[in-house]
Amino acid sequence: MQQQNKRRTLGALAALLAGAALFTGAAQAAGYPERPINLIVSYGPGGGTDLVARMMAPFLQKYLGGDARIVVLNRPGAGGAIGFAELARAQPDGYTIGFINTPNLLTIPIERKTSFTWQSFDLLGNLIDDPGAFSVLNDNPLKSLADLSAYAKKNPGKVTVGTTGTGSDDHLAMLRFERASGTKLSHIPYKGAGEVRGALAGGEITIGAINVGEALQYQKGGTPLRFLGQMGKTRSAALPDVPTFKEQGFDIELASLRGLAAPKGLPEDVRAKLVSAVKSTVDDPAFQAKAKDMFAPLRYLPPADYAKELAAGEAEFQQLWKEAPWLDK
């Protein structure tokens, strides 16, 4: 009898504690956000992700309501791995979110041991889908990918290509171009597209492997660059006169998805609030106008569709790694 009473007491206590936890969690979600939210960008200042993050912050603040304030934190290095790892290990309380960028998010865990994969995150929605491109300065005599191929064949290793890191879409594009053209290029990795732009403008590199939206922003800002080709499936609406790589005889299609995520394990109410704020931001006409002005090609994916896209991309890059590892040799 005494044993039964003890079990009943323990059961009642457990139920009371569970109810208290649920009440506390609901109260926290109802008051969220009550302090600033850190938004991690895994690349340096001035890159496409950084510029979009800072432009987007006021919209997220508006739709989160309350005392929302977004603080953008740049955590560049290792092709994005430093920022991705910091985001993955943060407390899953809704006060740390961040951009996750493909293919780096998918390729880095394939090429080396990491503390994260794309499944380390609660996905909040994808915002951007930006095709890759090769750019040169206006005074460069190279006018096309055929010119680049011919010059690189005559001058092995002399053409330097700036990218946002090993395993990035820029780097993979360079390696694919090497194989398709039978050339040897020299890879120069940087911590972000802003650094690549600076190196190109300063004459430190021959080719800037910079995504279309980013390159157009730099061009608008006064960097005298010219496109040799872009890597979309079709010509970009923003670049109707620039042929794709495929049109120029090189079967290369690569782009960068840029979406928002949080550490795995968010309280459901907090996650729902963040997902809703991201969707409302993308739907806001003022945000769309600013994104267009920044040449940021929007492509919203809700969390479930975003997960499917990341899973498919991961499988594709795993197969590619088996066939042709992309690490520099």
Side-chain angles (χ1 to χ4, degrees):
M1 187 72 171
Q2 187 176 5
Q3 189 74 11
Q4 286 180 337
N5 288 336
K6 185 177 180 181
R7 281 199 296 268
R8 288 195 191 99
T9 301
L10 290 173
L13 180 60
L16 182 65
L17 290 172
L22 285 172
F23 176 79
T24 301
Q28 287 176 342
Y32 171 83
E34 297 176 312
R35 62 179 192 271
I37 298 169
N38 290 329
L39 195 166
I40 294 174
V41 171
S42 299
Y43 302 91
T49 305
D50 177 70
L51 295 173
V52 168
R54 296 178 189 279
M55 179 272 285
M56 177 190 67
F59 293 92
L60 273 182
Q61 290 172 175
K62 171 185 173 183
Y63 290 111
L64 284 171
D67 296 322
R69 185 165 71 87
I70 306 293
V71 180
V72 177
L73 302 177
N74 295 95
R75 296 291 187 262
I82 290 174
F84 299 152
E86 182 172 332
L87 178 61
R89 67 173 176 262
Q91 287 295 316
D93 55 10
Y95 290 99
T96 303
I97 61 175
F99 268 95
I100 51 174
N101 302 56
T102 66
N104 305 50
L105 176 72
L106 306 176
T107 57
I108 291 171
I110 293 173
E111 71 194 27
R112 59 185 184 267
K113 186 176 181 180
T114 62
S115 59
F116 65 85
T117 68
W118 71 267
Q119 293 167 315
S120 304
F121 304 100
D122 276 343
L123 304 177
L124 305 177
N126 187 70
L127 285 86
I128 307 291
D129 188 350
D130 197 1
F134 279 0
S135 302
V136 296
L137 292 180
N138 282 341
D139 59 4
N140 192 304
L142 301 177
K143 304 294 184 185
S144 66
L145 296 179
D147 289 347
L148 171 59
S149 177
Y151 179 81
K153 284 178 181 177
K154 293 178 181 177
N155 301 273
K158 189 173 180 180
V159 174
T160 49
V161 181
T163 79
T164 53
T166 299
S168 66
D169 54 329
D170 318 319
H171 182 220
L172 294 178
M174 187 203 92
L175 295 177
R176 288 185 179 182
F177 183 80
E178 282 184 328
R179 288 194 292 272
S181 61
T183 59
K184 177 60 182 173
L185 310 176
S186 293
H187 180 218
I188 312 294
Y190 292 91
K191 293 181 180 179
E195 288 190 8
V196 178
R197 182 212 64 80
L200 182 63
E204 298 171 24
I205 54 176
T206 313
I207 304 290
I210 308 172
N211 293 85
V212 167
E214 295 170 325
L216 284 170
Q217 290 175 49
Y218 301 144
Q219 195 179 59
K220 182 180 179 180
T223 304
L225 61 80
R226 174 167 41 79
F227 291 91
L228 297 183
Q230 57 96 3
M231 302 171 208
K233 295 181 187 299
T234 59
R235 293 196 185 195
S236 167
L239 287 175
D241 298 327
V242 177
T244 65
F245 273 53
K246 271 196 168 185
E247 286 179 279
Q248 297 184 68
F250 299 94
D251 190 10
I252 301 171
E253 290 180 11
L254 278 171
S256 176
L257 291 180
R258 300 174 200 147
L260 285 174
K264 196 78 171 179
L266 286 178
E268 182 54 36
D269 287 352
V270 171
R271 191 191 72 82
K273 196 167 187 178
L274 282 164
V275 169
S276 176
V278 171
K279 179 65 165 65
S280 295
T281 293
V282 176
D283 287 343
D284 191 307
F287 174 80
Q288 293 173 3
K290 285 182 178 292
K292 184 177 181 180
D293 189 56
M294 292 178 66
F295 305 104
L298 297 178
R299 182 189 174 204
Y300 174 72
L301 292 172
D305 292 341
Y306 194 10
K308 290 177 184 176
E309 188 107 356
L310 292 176
E314 181 181 49
E316 178 184 341
F317 288 120
Q318 284 173 338
Q319 184 60 36
L320 178 62
W321 177 259
K322 291 178 184 178
E323 297 170 358
W326 51 75
L327 288 178
D328 289 323
K329 296 179 181 179

